[in-house]
Amino acid sequence: MNLALTEEQQLIAETASDFMQEKSPVSRFRELRDSGDVVGYSKALWKEMAELGWAGIPFPEKNGGAEMGMAELITVLEAAGAVQAPEPFLSSVLLAGQLLDRMGSEEQKKAYLEPMIEGNTCLAVALQESGPRYNPAHVAARAERDGDGYRLNGTKAHVIDGHSADALIVSARTSGETAGEEGISLFIVAGDAAGVTRTRQQRVDHRSTAIVELSDVRVDAAARVGEEGAGLAALRDVVDLATVGLCAEMLGGMKEAFESALAHMKEREQFEVKIASFQALQHRAVRLFIEIEMCRSSVMAAARALDEDAANKAQLVSLAKARCSDAYVEVANESIQFFGGVGVTDEYDVGFYLKRARVAELTFGDGNFHRDRWATLRGY
Amino acid sequence: MADIETFRSETRSWLEANAPESLRHARGSSDALEGHWGGRNAEWATPDHKAWAEIMADKQWTAPMWPTEYGGGGLSKQENKVLTEEMGRLGLPAPLTGFGFTMIGPVLLRFGNEEQKKEHLPKICRGEIRWCQGYSEPGAGSDLASLQCKAVREGDEFVINGQKIWTSYADKSDWIFALVRTDPDVKKQEGITFILIDMETPGVSVKPIQLISGKSPFCETFFADVHAPVSNVIHEINAGWTVAKALLGHERTMISQVFGGATGARKGRGRLVEMAAKYLGEEEGGRLADPVYRNEVAQMEMDVAGFRYAAQRMNDEAKAGHQPGAESSMFKVVGTENNMKQHELMVRLAGPQGIGWEGEGFEDDELDLTRAWLRTRGNSIEGGTSEIQLNIIAKHVLGLSG
Ligand SMILES: Cc1cc2nc3c(=O)[nH]c(=O)nc-3n(C[C@H](O)[C@H](O)[C@H](O)COP(=O)(O)OP(=O)(O)OC[C@H]3O[C@@H](n4cnc5c(N)ncnc54)[C@H](O)[C@@H]3O)c2cc1C
């Protein structure tokens, strides 16, 4: 494992950062929010990002991908996180795209993966239900055999980008009881299929998630992704990938929030001096700086462990997510404090980072969840 | 690549053939700084420890990366890594440690003249001379540059008068590298000289200070009309501050390395988990019985692992040609805090068994642990306090200043 950026990675990182700063400053996300936009991201920008190759980073060349890995993808996600870009990387590339890449048939890849890589569509995975927190085995939704196909019934919640996705991959039981490890299957369903009702969930970070209700949704056998009953392991794998992707986004966010607060400290004067001269603030700022550096190392290590399929990869995912979850919230809280009163106004951007920090913390498991998982993985 | 594999197999067979049986996989001391320091009055835990130091000194592997003409091994970074790994495979202790290797040696290599290097480095490599550090004074701690210990030139000699404090192991050391005031009339950083003094010189005396751990690892050091040749000055006269700062960089790196990764979350159960299982019990299947401590143990292991990846990133980036900045300050803060938190956690895991001082009712390991915990309280003070490191980062990395 090499934890320094290669020249190629450096280049991707710089390109992504320049692009995001230029085409997608935070003001763009603010406008999306204020305009009551229903899609949740910009289709035009998603297309541009795809044309730069980013939606295809981890996929095979034959599907239009770049055959690179998480080590490259996280540099793009970090740049996106810095400016609160809401384009559907997590949902489309890391969750749905990776499921299709790992489990999908050639027809499914042609029909769903390739258009997404080209930036023409958005995909989502409906895996979470209300009640359980971060356990993809908790599936009450059912898929009953119906002739040569299936009929799906159930309700999914907190489906990232589920509201506007062109197609959804849904986890549903073909056998077994809720929370059982066996009997979870995956199906791909068009967003506008008969029997699918989608309601946008308004969460604190203003990003797009949805409740997806499935009521006698009829799909044929070709809509099943992977073998019947073999969905859980794949879901867990892609959730780990998405977790590290989210960590990278969080890293970008915390760094940006922190730097904006630093800039403010160097501008704002009280008692005839810059507030940056107050040691009480300096030391707190350095603590945040150190924490961000530690997060970066953990996220880079986790991404490389996934790429190398290392034996301890799950542990490293938990290491990164626990650290980033705690750090992003802390950085955002402290940054607001450094701003003073303006920090809690909607006019300043720092509030976006606090809100996103909280949502990201509570997505795919918070610090306590991942400490518990670390301990379990290490046999205690 | 082929070369490095050859080096590995040669190193492995040489160690197999030469390392004393009794030192392989021996239990280490809980105080990471306690090793074999050599010196005129060297103390050896066993005759095999002494033999091991001699064997390694003959092989020139006590300072593996120093140039061969000064007694070092001339190994590349990569070869040194292999040597460390192969020694680790046999569970071998470092043959010799001390400030000679970690502090004054690197500084001599950078600032010393040829004569000084030839004079001092081989003796460090052979464990013949033990060094101590004369920086702090009663009135000059964090504000080190305000030091007052005075050196007045008389011909080819400096005459030194004054006092140092917190001089670790001064009572066991043979030479001291000291900062002395050679010009009182200029900006305080500009009148300091870095000089080497033989502790046997008339006028040098030391007085041990007892610590909360019960040990007396450091001393007050007094200089009364001590004569030292001008040729013992490292770098220029009145340019000692430059040398002092470079050395502090090495010291911080050493402290964070020694303490930062002590109980790693590598394969198998780490010490924390072993202790939690021993003192608080475990369920069938090995899950720790106490969920609150289980979370704390996980947090601690993850902090240590995080530190290790951060250190690895710094190394990888250095290899890729990035100049390290104020990293040594960051690693000093985090490494020492990890070590301190870890010791506190171990004491709490041991419960009433973790608070023994001496005598009956406690295992040796438990008594060691209590003392080791007390020792760690110095970690965030020695080598520049944590607050000073935060100041350095605030100023030089974040650009926050008055
Ligand atoms: C175990 C151990 C071994 C040591 N070994 C040696 C040795 O071998 N040789 C040697 O020369 N010295 C040695 N020292 C001394 C060590 O370098 C000093 O103790 C250290 O630099 C702090 O100085 P001080 O003790 O005078 O504390 P002070 O400088 O008086 O500091 C007291 C408190 O004030 C804080 N403070 C001071 N200035 C500032 C500031 N500008 N901003 C914010 N906070 C500030 C400090 O962080 C600290 O919390 C050793 C110390 C220890 C604990």
Side-chain angles (χ1 to χ4, degrees):
Chain A
M1 186 185 293
N2 177 2
L3 293 182
L5 290 182
T6 63
E7 262 170 48
E8 190 177 24
Q9 289 161 355
Q10 184 80 42
L11 191 67
I12 298 173
E14 279 163 20
T15 312
S17 175
D18 291 348
F19 178 93
M20 295 292 175
Q21 302 290 341
E22 190 201 341
K23 304 245 170 158
S24 174
V26 187
S27 55
R28 182 190 55 110
F29 179 59
R30 183 184 286 279
E31 279 159 29
L32 272 180
R33 180 197 68 171
D34 293 345
S35 66
D37 146 90
V38 288
V39 176
Y41 65 93
S42 154
K43 291 195 174 190
L45 263 190
W46 178 231
K47 177 82 185 161
E48 275 192 58
M49 294 180 188
E51 278 165 0
L52 286 164
W54 298 338
I57 284 180
F59 301 112
E61 278 176 14
K62 69 175 192 316
N63 298 119
E67 273 188 43
M68 293 189 284
M70 289 300 290
E72 287 75 24
L73 189 56
I74 59 170
T75 65
V76 175
L77 287 163
E78 182 184 342
V83 297
Q84 303 283 334
E87 274 58 43
F89 283 102
L90 286 188
S91 55
S92 298
V93 178
L94 283 168
L95 290 171
Q98 287 289 340
L99 276 180
L100 287 168
D101 182 39
R102 283 150 192 247
M103 314 264 287
S105 64
E106 284 313 311
E107 292 75 45
Q108 288 170 337
K109 289 181 193 175
K110 281 241 150 10
Y112 298 104
L113 181 60
E114 292 179 8
M116 184 281 289
I117 291 175
E118 287 165 12
N120 294 326
T121 57
C122 162
L123 306 172
V125 176
L127 65 106
Q128 199 173 331
E129 301 188 0
S130 63
R133 294 160 74 99
Y134 312 116
N135 179 7
H138 187 111
V139 175
R142 303 207 75 86
E144 270 145 343
R145 278 272 178 191
D146 180 19
D148 61 348
Y150 298 85
R151 220 160 1 132
L152 310 179
N153 280 288
T155 303
K156 300 286 175 174
H158 295 288
V159 179
I160 301 172
D161 296 316
H163 184 60
S164 53
D166 297 283
L168 302 156
I169 298 176
V170 175
S171 61
R173 286 201 169 273
T174 37
S175 67
E177 295 301 318
T178 308
E181 299 268 313
E182 308 289 328
I184 295 170
S185 304
L186 303 173
F187 301 91
I188 190 153
V189 181
D192 56 5
V196 174
T197 313
R198 301 187 286 177
T199 313
R200 185 158 176 181
Q201 274 181 300
Q202 304 291 343
R203 303 203 302 186
V204 68
D205 64 345
H206 316 299
R207 298 277 181 104
S208 177
T209 59
I211 299 167
V212 176
E213 288 172 79
L214 306 158
S215 161
D216 281 332
V217 178
R218 176 73 173 73
V219 295
D220 36 322
R224 202 185 62 228
V225 181
E227 296 297 308
E228 192 173 286
L232 184 59
L235 273 180
R236 288 199 165 127
D237 282 348
V238 300
V239 166
D240 267 6
L241 291 168
T243 302
V244 173
L246 178 60
C247 285
E249 188 219 291
M250 296 167 84
L251 181 63
M254 66 178 97
K255 182 157 182 280
E256 185 65 28
F258 175 64
E259 284 177 355
S260 72
L262 276 188
H264 179 80
M265 287 167 73
K266 294 176 190 177
E267 280 288 310
R268 171 79 175 162
E269 289 186 7
Q270 283 295 281
F271 301 98
E272 287 85 46
V273 293
K274 305 279 188 218
I275 61 169
S277 65
F278 301 134
Q279 197 183 49
L281 298 190
Q282 289 178 353
H283 284 193
R284 284 161 64 179
V286 174
R287 290 286 173 182
L288 302 182
F289 165 78
I290 291 176
E291 203 42 48
I292 295 169
E293 288 296 307
M294 294 287 143
C295 282
R296 178 177 302 284
S297 307
S298 296
V299 175
M300 290 177 78
R304 283 154 181 75
L306 288 169
D307 286 342
E308 292 164 17
D309 200 20
N312 64 347
K313 63 181 177 181
Q315 246 174 266
L316 288 192
V317 171
S318 284
L319 180 70
K321 185 57 168 57
R323 191 131 207 168
C324 288
S325 294
D326 295 346
Y328 196 1
V329 171
E330 159 112 5
V331 169
N333 284 345
E334 286 282 82
S335 295
I336 286 182
Q337 184 70 17
F338 296 161
F339 273 103
V342 294
V344 289
T345 62
D346 185 62
E347 186 194 334
Y348 273 64
D349 289 337
V350 66
F352 282 121
Y353 293 87
L354 174 70
K355 293 170 177 179
R356 184 60 185 160
R358 189 102 264 163
V359 168
E361 176 199 25
L362 300 176
T363 299
F364 307 138
D366 64 358
N368 278 331
F369 174 87
H370 282 285
R371 282 186 281 279
D372 174 70
R373 192 172 92 135
W374 167 281
T376 304
L377 288 166
R378 289 187 45 76
Y380 64 86
Chain B
M1 265 306 141
D3 286 353
I4 196 75
E5 284 318 310
T6 316
F7 178 77
R8 184 183 295 279
S9 63
E10 283 170 11
T11 302
R12 185 173 295 184
S13 21
W14 186 86
L15 288 170
E16 293 277 7
N18 291 284
E21 253 342 297
S22 70
L23 301 190
R24 301 182 189 190
H25 304 290
R27 181 182 158 272
S29 160
S30 56
D31 187 340
L33 269 182
E34 257 171 36
H36 287 83
W37 295 57
R40 290 173 188 147
N41 308 307
E43 293 163 24
W44 304 98
T46 67
D48 276 352
H49 282 92
K50 180 165 192 258
W52 175 227
E54 280 163 6
I55 292 165
M56 286 293 270
D58 289 342
K59 182 78 179 167
Q60 303 202 178
W61 275 359
T62 54
M65 288 172 63
W66 291 3
T68 46
E69 65 263 41
Y70 308 124
L75 301 191
S76 68
K77 256 192 170 172
Q78 212 184 8
E79 288 168 333
N80 185 46
K81 187 161 168 270
V82 168
L83 174 59
T84 312
E85 283 164 4
E86 290 303 316
M87 284 175 63
R89 217 176 57 87
L90 288 182
L92 291 165
L96 285 167
T97 54
F99 298 163
F101 295 99
T102 54
M103 291 199 246
I104 185 67
V107 155
L108 281 172
L109 282 169
R110 178 156 158 211
F111 293 100
N113 60 35
E114 196 53 35
E115 259 163 66
Q116 290 167 335
K117 289 194 255 192
K118 282 240 156 65
E119 166 68 19
H120 296 290
L121 293 174
K123 290 181 185 163
I124 294 172
C125 292
R126 299 208 54 84
E128 288 167 10
I129 292 296
R130 177 168 178 170
W131 285 87
C132 62
Q133 176 188 29
Y135 273 29
S136 306
E137 297 178 8
S142 298
D143 183 13
L144 182 60
S146 69
L147 60 94
Q148 294 300 329
C149 182
K150 195 170 64 172
V152 177
R153 185 158 182 172
E154 285 181 10
D156 286 345
E157 291 186 329
F158 275 110
V159 181
I160 301 160
N161 280 287
Q163 184 195 340
K164 295 287 170 185
I165 195 166
W166 320 130
T167 328
S168 293
Y169 308 110
D171 52 339
K172 299 192 163 109
S173 296
D174 309 309
W175 279 69
I176 185 168
F177 51 91
L179 296 177
V180 291
R181 167 102 14 232
T182 36
D183 189 343
D185 301 322
V186 290
K187 195 167 159 252
K188 60 186 175 180
Q189 286 84 357
E190 287 162 12
I192 295 171
T193 296
F194 191 105
I195 191 166
L196 312 180
I197 304 164
D198 188 333
M199 298 286 277
E200 284 182 352
T201 316
V204 180
S205 61
V206 298
K207 191 166 147 230
I209 304 169
Q210 189 172 0
L211 301 194
I212 52 177
S213 65
K215 297 187 181 171
S216 301
F218 55 38
C219 302
E220 293 177 277
T221 306
F222 300 95
F223 300 94
D225 286 333
V226 171
H227 290 245
V230 172
S231 59
N232 282 6
V233 169
I234 303 300
H235 203 41
E236 309 287 320
I237 293 170
N238 291 329
W241 190 241
T242 311
V243 188
K245 280 193 298 184
L247 188 138
L248 281 173
H250 293 295
E251 180 176 9
R252 275 168 212 150
T253 307
M254 180 268 296
I255 291 172
S256 59
Q257 279 167 356
V258 167
F259 295 118
T263 310
R266 287 168 202 270
K267 291 197 194 75
R269 290 188 141 194
R271 185 164 176 210
L272 289 171
V273 179
E274 293 291 354
M275 287 187 64
K278 174 176 172 185
Y279 292 102
L280 291 160
E282 55 189 318
E283 294 165 4
E284 224 169 296
R287 189 187 167 95
L288 295 177
D290 186 309
V292 177
Y293 274 112
R294 179 173 175 270
N295 191 331
E296 279 196 61
V297 167
Q299 171 84 64
M300 193 67 245
E301 279 196 345
M302 292 167 90
D303 283 351
V304 172
F307 179 86
R308 224 180 25 243
Y309 288 111
Q312 187 189 331
R313 177 158 71 93
M314 183 185 69
N315 281 334
D316 290 345
E317 286 178 352
K319 264 184 258 161
H322 297 276
Q323 207 55 33
E327 277 90 349
S328 70
S329 288
M330 175 169 93
F331 284 98
K332 206 248 156 188
V333 172
V334 181
T336 55
E337 284 177 359
N338 277 350
N339 193 51
M340 294 159 86
K341 279 193 276 178
Q342 194 158 293
H343 279 81
E344 294 193 309
L345 179 54
M346 287 193 285
V347 167
R348 290 189 296 118
L349 286 171
Q353 292 307 108
I355 50 176
W357 181 251
E358 61 190 8
E360 294 301 303
F362 301 100
E363 294 170 18
D364 287 348
D365 276 358
E366 292 166 346
L367 293 173
D368 279 355
L369 173 62
T370 319
R371 305 292 180 118
W373 155 60
L374 288 165
R375 169 66 183 84
T376 63
R377 297 320 301 170
N379 293 167
S380 52
I381 301 170
E382 61 198 296
T385 68
S386 291
E387 289 76 17
I388 294 300
Q389 309 312 316
L390 299 184
N391 287 348
I392 292 172
I393 298 170
K395 188 164 163 211
H396 297 291
V397 182
L398 302 184
L400 300 171
S401 52

